[in-house]
């Protein structure tokens, strides 16, 4: 027992001795010693250092310099200790920016790292100068000069003053493409958002040199070539040089176009069980013989990937594989369906959205956290987010998750203003001057909702409109919204009655495919028709004789009971009996829908594709009106081969109104058409009119009755004006129109059993009290189908003040009672 205790004591003593040796042999921990600080706390300075290794010390010094709190920062070693020496600059009282007018101080101040109440650092101030110059360069003033100075104050304090000499605007003077043979420089520059400086530079900012925008423009050019069959296209280089002599940038872009490819064959190769590749060929957007189209390939990949996911293959991605034949200039495209790696989305992190709510961004993804990772669907979400218009930029990147089969998505966005206050004005030859004040917001309170309120006022019409749209109704990709309105239009030369409408519409939008959408709606509105009878507008004085009715003629004395054919209640412009029958107020309750199909390449300036609209509205779900209205409008755009930037446009339109339940359409129910159907005719200048025997000379007074059927077609070619810079937005057009409006279904006979006189179709009701009264019947001229046609030329100006169009048309066929109008002008502005 004693021997055991002795052994235990000897072991304990040995262990204690070994522990002491370990402690004595371990070097003491290095200390961070701070010197030179007077105002700054030493412990705060030490917090910048995570350790004492050379790498950690250098990282801490860099962080101290970046803080901008010290004039100089350095470190040395003394044994194991690190001695950090700092020199504190003068304390800054305030920071001032002077000389700036083009860029506001509130936009410059947040970019400065030199801040009031901090310590002055020469290094930081010089970096601020460079930062301000970069801001001015991006604002299109590369010649701007920035300097700084300090102003000494008592108690060791200073003011820091940044002085700016803004100089003149230095935008993009010229954009040159080198290596392009198929498409001209003008055509390619027209694809870019960046524009060249010209006489309108004072109204725009798109001519400012911005490297990020140039990179985006080059992607637009690349996609344009790929869409038109140039699969080998690439941008070799892009160079921007500031030319002091020109006072702006010259951008040179070198490209290689390569040949245009056609599709020789296209198929789907499936490596998945239970999925037959041939059965998916109907989802492909390309066919043999087509010109290769990069957009169509992209949409085919999306369609195949979604279809595979529906069948339970969430990790499958369709991958296009092209086999080029340069000699034949063909490409064989195989879409391969493979089971991808089983990787799941662990998290979706969203950064940079200071205003837009997270769920507005997340709902653009067709997948969420925990779902299978699919790059095709992620790329699609990125395109959707960029298309919203809420963000300046959107970028989605990946990083590894917490396990090998997990991935984290990082969505980086930058919010941009989405509200708009607009004051619009315009003039048209039929409506006179028009003005509108509007307030709109496309991302209301960051929820992605659209709201708009507008008030219109003009010589003829005025009104107020309010609309609201929720793009994701019930968390589905279905839009829902409503519109309420109140409008009034006074009588004028082409419409001798006044109308007032008050009502609203509830509408939905359901996307069927990327190109096709279905939009049901319900409308309820009240319309009031009134005929003025004043000194300036005596359109109802046959019914109510007043002093407005002209006096008798000396050739046919009133006191002898003779009617006066020259001076009577009709000669100053009487409304037709058909219009008088429509006086009063009615309520219309209708349910309808629209089918919209669009494949155009650019909604602002289409060159290729289709735009088709088909609509039907059935009135009779309550209210007074009973009819089915059907309209269709189809437009086809195609760039003319071998002619640069020349676009051909074919349009076909038509409509029908069918009453039911014994309802007779009123004037406001009918189609009243003019230049919107055939240019060269006045508003309401086509179709059935009041052509009473004694009122033919007053047809221009506005007795348009309208019709229940119309059809029209148009061919137009738009082209650039030679010698005019494209950036000015001026284009020319030649057109040919043809169409007809017919089938007035209202009452046409008001004879009240008066005797028929041979050769006379309508009698004038004569009464001694009324002088010369209203005609006894209405004979709509050309109530049957008859073609009207015209040819003409146009000038189109996409001006900074809005789109403006001038049309001059020569009528080539018409009915006797039609009203022509050769020149037509319309336009608007936002300022």
């Amino acid at each position: 027992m004693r021997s055991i205790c002795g052994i235990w004591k000897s072991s304990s003593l040995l262990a204690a001795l070994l522990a002491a040796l370990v402690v004595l042999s371990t070097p003491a921990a290095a200390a961070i010693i701070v010197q030179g600080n007077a105002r700054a706390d030493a412990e705060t300075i030490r917090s910048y250092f995570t350790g004492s290794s050379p790498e950690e010390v250098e990282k801490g010094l860099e962080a101290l310099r970046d803080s901008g709190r010290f004039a100089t920062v350095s470190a040395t070693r003394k044994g194991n200790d690190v001695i950090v020496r700092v020199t504190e600059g003068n304390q800054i009282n305030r920071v001032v920016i002077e000389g700036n007018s083009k860029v506001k101080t509130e936009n410059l101040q947040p970019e400065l790292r030199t801040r009031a109440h901090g310590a002055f650092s020469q290094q930081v101030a010089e970096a601020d100068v460079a930062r301000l110059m970069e801001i001015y360069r991006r604002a299109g003033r590369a010649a701007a000069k920035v300097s700084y100075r300090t102003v000494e104050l008592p108690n060791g304090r200073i003011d820091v003053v940044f002085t700016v000499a803004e100089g003149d605007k230095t935008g993009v003077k010229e954009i040159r493409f080198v290596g392009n043979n198929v498409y001209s420089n003008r055509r390619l520059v027209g694809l870019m958002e960046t524009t060249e400086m010209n006489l309108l530079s004072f109204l725009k900012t798109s001519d400012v040199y911005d490297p990020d925008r140039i990179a985006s423009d080059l992607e637009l050019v690349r996609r344009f070539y790929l869409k038109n069959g140039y699969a080998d296209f690439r941008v070799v280089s892009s160079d921007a040089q500031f030319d002091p002599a020109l006072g702006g940038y010259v951008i040179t872009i070198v490209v290689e176009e390569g040949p245009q490819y056609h599709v020789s064959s296209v198929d789907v190769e499936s490596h998945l069980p239970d999925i037959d590749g041939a059965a998916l060929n109907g989802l492909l957007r390309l066919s043999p013989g087509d010109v290769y189209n990069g957009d169509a390939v992209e949409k085919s990949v999306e369609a195949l990937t979604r279809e595979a996911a529906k069948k339970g293959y969430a990790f499958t991605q369709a991958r296009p594989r092209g086999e080029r034949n340069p000699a034949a200039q063909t490409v064989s495209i195989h879409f391969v369906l493979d089971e991808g790696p089983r990787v799941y989305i662990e998290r979706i992190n969203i950064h940079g959205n200071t205003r837009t709510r997270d769920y507005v961004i997340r709902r653009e993804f067709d997948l969420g956290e925990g779902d299978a990772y699919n790059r095709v669907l992620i790329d699609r979400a990125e395109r959707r987010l960029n298309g919203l218009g809420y963000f300046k930029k959107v970028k989605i990147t990946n990083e590894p998750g917490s396990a090998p089969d997990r991935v984290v998505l990082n969505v980086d966005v930058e919010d941009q203003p989405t509200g708009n206050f607009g004051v619009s004005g315009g003039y048209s030859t039929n409506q006179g001057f028009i003005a509108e004040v509007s307030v709109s917001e496309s991302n209301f309170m960051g929820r992605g909702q659209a709201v708009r309120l507008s008030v219109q006022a003009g010589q003829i019409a005025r009104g107020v409109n309010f609309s609201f749209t929720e793009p994701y109704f019930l968390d589905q990709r279905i839009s829902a919204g409503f519109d309420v309105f109140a409008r009034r239009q006074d009588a004028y030369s082409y419409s001798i009655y006044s109308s007032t409408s008050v009502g609203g519409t509830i509408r939905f939008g359901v996307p069927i495919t990327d190109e096709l959408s279905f939009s049901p709606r319900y409308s309820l509105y009240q319309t009031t028709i009134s005929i003025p009878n004043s000194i300036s507008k005596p359109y109802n004085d046959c019914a109510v004789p007043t002093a407005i009715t002209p006096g008798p003629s000396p050739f046919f004395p009133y006191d002898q009971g003779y009617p006066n054919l020259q001076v009577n209640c009709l000669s100053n412009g009487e409304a037709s009996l058909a219009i008088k029958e429509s006086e009063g107020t009615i309520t219309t309750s209708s349910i309808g829908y629209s089918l919209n199909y669009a494949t155009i390449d650019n909604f602002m300036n289409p060159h290729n594709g289709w735009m088709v609209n088909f609509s039907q509205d059935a009135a009779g779900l309550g209210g007074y009106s009973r009819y089915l209205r059907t309209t269709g409008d189809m437009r086809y755009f195609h760039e003319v081969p071998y002619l640069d930037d020349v676009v051909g446009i074919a349009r076909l339109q038509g409509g029908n109104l069918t009453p039911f339940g014994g309802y007779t359409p009123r004037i406001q129910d009918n189609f009243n058409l003019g230049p919107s159907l055939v240019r060269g005719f006045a508003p309401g200048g086509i179709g059935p009119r009041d052509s009473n025997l004694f009122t033919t000379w007053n047809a221009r007074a506005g007795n348009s009755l309208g019709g229940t059927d119309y059809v029209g077609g148009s061919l137009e070619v738009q082209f650039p004006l030679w010698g005019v810079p494209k950036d000015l937005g001026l284009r020319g057009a030649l057109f040919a129109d043809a169409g007809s409006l017919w089938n007035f279904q209202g009452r046409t006979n008001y004879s009240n059993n008066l005797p028929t006189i041979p050769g006379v179709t309508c009698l004038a009701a004569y009464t001694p009290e009324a002088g010369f009264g209203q005609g006894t019947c209405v004979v709509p001229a050309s109530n049957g189908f008859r073609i009207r046609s015209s040819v003409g030329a146009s000038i189109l100006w996409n001006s900074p003040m809005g789109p403006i169009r001038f049309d001059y048309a020569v009528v080539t066929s018409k009915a006797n009672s039609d009203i022509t109008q050769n020149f037509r002008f319309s336009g608007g502005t936002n300022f």
Side-chain angles (χ1 to χ4, degrees):
M1 184 70 177
R2 289 178 181 176
S3 61
I4 294 175
C5 290
I7 294 172
W8 172 256
K9 290 180 180 179
S10 299
S11 299
S12 299
L13 182 62
L14 179 61
L17 181 61
L18 290 174
L21 289 174
V22 171
V23 171
L24 291 174
S25 62
T26 301
I32 305 294
I33 301 172
V34 179
Q35 296 179 354
N37 58 311
R39 296 186 298 271
D41 181 63
E43 194 59 38
T44 301
I45 296 175
R46 290 191 190 96
S47 67
Y48 284 85
F49 297 87
T50 58
S52 59
S53 68
E55 294 80 10
E56 291 170 325
V57 170
E58 185 58 37
K59 186 176 180 180
L61 292 176
E62 188 64 29
L64 277 174
R65 295 188 187 100
D66 290 342
S67 70
R69 301 178 62 183
F70 306 99
T72 62
V73 177
S74 62
T76 58
R77 287 187 178 272
K78 185 177 181 180
N80 290 327
D81 296 333
V82 178
I83 300 174
V84 178
R85 294 183 177 87
V86 298
T87 302
E88 295 181 335
N90 294 333
Q91 188 171 15
I92 300 172
N93 176 56
R94 61 178 183 145
V95 179
V96 179
I97 302 175
E98 63 180 19
N100 60 307
S101 61
K102 302 300 181 182
V103 183
K104 296 181 179 180
T105 299
E106 53 263 34
N107 294 331
L108 296 175
Q109 199 88 41
E111 302 296 328
L112 299 178
R113 296 180 58 195
T114 301
R115 304 288 175 88
H117 311 302
F120 175 73
S121 169
Q122 181 180 352
Q123 180 183 3
V124 173
E126 290 173 352
D128 284 339
V129 168
R131 191 173 291 106
L132 291 178
M133 292 184 67
E134 174 65 16
I135 293 172
Y136 270 95
R137 184 182 68 81
R138 288 181 176 270
R141 297 185 179 272
K145 296 180 180 179
V146 181
S147 61
Y148 80 90
R149 70 179 190 276
T150 59
V151 179
E152 300 290 339
L153 300 174
N155 301 321
R157 298 166 69 85
I158 62 172
D159 285 345
V160 181
V161 181
F162 291 90
T163 303
V164 180
E166 293 181 316
D168 295 329
K169 182 178 179 179
T170 53
V172 177
K173 280 291 186 180
E174 185 179 0
I175 302 175
R176 302 171 182 168
F177 278 87
V178 178
N180 55 307
N181 298 309
V182 179
Y183 296 104
S184 69
N185 200 82
R186 177 191 179 100
R187 181 74 174 97
L188 297 180
V189 172
L191 298 172
M192 303 172 66
E193 293 183 8
T194 303
T195 61
E196 298 172 336
M197 296 182 70
N198 53 34
L199 296 176
L200 300 177
S201 289
F202 70 98
L203 289 173
K204 62 180 183 176
T205 59
S206 59
D207 57 356
V208 171
Y209 172 66
D210 184 341
D212 293 338
R213 184 161 56 195
I214 292 294
S216 176
D217 287 338
L218 294 181
E219 177 62 17
L220 292 176
V221 173
R222 187 188 72 85
R223 293 181 68 90
F224 171 76
Y225 270 96
L226 292 180
K227 184 175 182 178
N228 287 279
Y230 296 89
D232 294 335
F233 173 82
R234 70 188 186 98
V235 177
V236 178
S237 64
S238 174
D239 179 62
Q241 295 291 331
F242 179 73
D243 189 332
L246 293 176
Y249 286 92
V250 176
I251 300 174
T252 303
I253 303 168
V254 181
V255 302
E256 286 184 3
E257 294 177 322
Q260 185 185 55
Y261 287 86
H262 285 72
V263 178
S264 60
S265 64
V266 57
D267 58 32
V268 180
E269 180 182 334
S270 174
H271 296 163
L272 304 173
D274 305 326
I275 293 185
D276 179 16
L280 301 179
N281 285 336
L283 298 175
L284 303 180
R285 304 298 181 92
L286 288 165
S287 301
D290 291 349
V291 174
Y292 174 81
N293 187 322
D295 284 355
V297 170
E298 193 173 79
K299 291 179 179 178
S300 298
V301 167
E302 290 179 1
L304 292 172
T305 301
R306 291 198 304 271
E307 186 64 23
K310 290 179 182 178
K311 296 181 180 296
Y313 294 93
F315 298 95
T316 297
Q317 296 184 23
R319 304 182 186 277
R321 187 176 69 238
E323 298 176 1
R324 294 180 177 85
N325 184 343
Q329 296 183 3
T330 61
V331 58
S332 176
I333 305 175
H334 305 278
F335 293 92
V336 182
L337 290 175
D338 281 318
E339 183 75 12
R342 292 185 172 272
V343 179
Y344 296 88
I345 298 173
E346 182 175 327
R347 287 193 320 277
I348 299 177
N349 298 326
I350 300 175
H351 308 287
N353 54 320
T354 58
R355 181 167 175 268
T356 304
R357 307 194 181 198
D358 277 11
Y359 71 83
V360 174
I361 298 173
R362 292 179 184 275
R363 68 191 184 189
E364 297 301 328
F365 288 81
D366 290 328
L367 35 73
E369 293 162 340
D371 290 342
Y373 174 84
N374 192 307
R375 189 68 226 178
V376 173
L377 299 182
I378 292 170
D379 290 341
R380 189 186 194 202
E382 185 171 349
R383 289 194 299 273
R384 283 176 175 171
L385 289 170
N386 278 306
L388 290 176
Y390 304 161
F391 312 106
K392 290 182 181 178
K393 61 180 180 180
V394 178
K395 187 175 182 181
I396 302 177
T397 56
N398 306 331
E399 66 179 40
S402 59
D405 63 344
R406 297 290 186 271
V407 66
V408 175
L409 297 184
N410 292 314
V411 184
D412 293 296
V413 301
E414 182 180 349
D415 280 306
Q416 67 179 357
T418 53
N420 178 63
F421 174 78
V423 180
S424 304
Y427 178 82
S428 67
T429 46
N430 61 303
Q431 292 284 345
F433 288 101
I434 306 167
E436 177 182 277
V437 177
S438 65
V439 179
S440 63
E441 172 58 69
S442 60
N443 187 14
F444 183 62
M445 298 181 69
R447 295 188 172 99
Q449 299 163 335
V451 179
R452 187 175 190 272
L453 173 66
S454 64
V455 178
Q456 303 90 27
Q459 291 179 282
I460 304 300
R462 62 198 66 87
V464 59
N465 295 269
F466 176 79
S467 64
F468 173 85
T469 302
E470 167 56 63
Y472 273 77
F473 183 60
L474 300 178
D475 292 327
Q476 301 295 317
R477 198 176 292 278
I478 298 173
S479 66
F482 65 88
D483 307 287
V484 292
F485 63 87
R487 292 191 292 265
R488 177 174 174 81
Q489 178 171 297
D490 296 332
Y492 69 112
S493 57
Y494 299 119
S495 174
I496 61 174
Y497 59 87
S498 299
S499 65
T500 302
S501 298
V502 178
T505 298
I506 298 174
R507 50 186 165 72
F508 298 89
V510 183
I512 300 174
T513 67
D514 289 340
E515 294 84 15
L516 181 65
S517 64
F518 171 69
S519 303
R521 59 182 170 268
Y522 170 74
S523 300
L524 178 65
Y525 56 92
Q526 190 176 76
T527 307
T528 301
I529 296 293
S530 60
I531 302 173
N533 193 31
S534 63
I535 297 296
S536 59
K537 299 175 181 179
Y539 302 147
N540 200 20
D541 57 351
C542 285
V544 184
T546 68
I548 302 169
T549 302
S553 164
F555 300 103
F556 297 93
Y558 170 81
D559 55 5
Q560 296 183 20
Y562 286 103
N564 191 323
L565 298 181
Q566 286 76 36
V567 183
N568 54 70
C569 65
L570 300 181
S571 62
N572 56 10
E574 186 76 359
S576 73
L577 292 173
I579 293 177
K580 291 181 179 181
E581 278 205 334
S582 295
E583 274 193 289
T585 300
I586 65 168
T587 299
T588 300
S589 174
S590 68
I591 187 170
Y593 70 92
S594 293
L595 284 172
N596 295 285
Y597 177 76
T599 63
I600 56 175
D601 51 356
N602 187 314
F603 280 91
M604 297 298 294
N605 185 24
H607 279 65
N608 291 283
W610 290 87
M611 283 186 66
V612 181
N613 172 271
F614 178 81
S615 298
Q616 284 191 310
D617 291 277
L621 194 68
Y624 179 78
S625 305
R626 299 283 189 276
Y627 59 77
L628 175 65
R629 180 192 298 268
T630 303
T631 61
D633 191 344
M634 179 172 60
R635 305 186 196 201
Y636 176 64
F637 301 82
H638 187 74
E639 196 164 10
V640 179
Y642 312 112
L643 296 177
D644 183 45
D645 201 17
V646 177
V647 181
I649 305 171
R651 181 182 184 186
L652 180 65
Q653 57 178 318
N656 168 263
L657 186 138
T658 301
F660 60 84
Y663 178 72
T664 300
R666 304 204 318 165
I667 293 296
Q668 65 269 36
D669 298 324
N670 290 336
F671 299 110
N672 283 274
L673 302 175
S676 61
L677 185 67
V678 181
R679 282 163 284 196
F681 290 85
I686 294 176
R689 304 184 68 81
D690 175 18
S691 297
N692 186 281
L693 177 66
F694 299 108
T695 58
T696 302
W697 63 83
N698 280 324
R700 179 130 176 90
N703 285 286
S704 171
L705 306 181
T708 58
D709 297 279
Y710 76 92
V711 66
S714 175
L715 294 175
E716 181 171 321
V717 58
Q718 297 181 1
F719 48 86
L721 296 177
W722 185 83
V724 177
K726 183 173 182 176
D727 192 37
L728 290 178
L730 283 169
R731 292 174 65 82
L734 299 174
F735 62 83
D737 295 345
S740 181
L741 171 67
W742 72 99
N743 198 18
F744 171 76
Q745 295 188 20
R747 188 155 69 102
T748 61
N749 194 310
Y750 301 85
S751 62
N752 295 322
N753 298 318
L754 289 178
T756 301
I757 300 177
V760 178
T761 57
C762 293
L763 288 174
Y766 162 69
T767 61
E769 294 79 16
F772 195 80
Q774 183 87 53
T776 60
C777 66
V778 173
V779 180
S782 302
N783 198 18
F785 179 85
R786 179 168 179 174
I787 291 292
R788 282 82 166 177
S789 61
S790 69
V791 295
S794 305
I795 297 292
L796 294 79
W797 185 23
N798 189 20
S799 75
M801 297 178 293
I804 297 175
R805 179 165 183 142
F806 305 86
D807 294 320
Y808 185 83
V810 176
V811 173
T812 55
S813 63
K814 62 183 285 293
N816 291 334
S817 59
D818 290 342
I819 307 301
T820 61
Q821 183 188 70
N822 299 105
F823 176 75
R824 186 168 180 260
F825 161 76
S826 62
T829 182
N830 284 319
F831 52 88

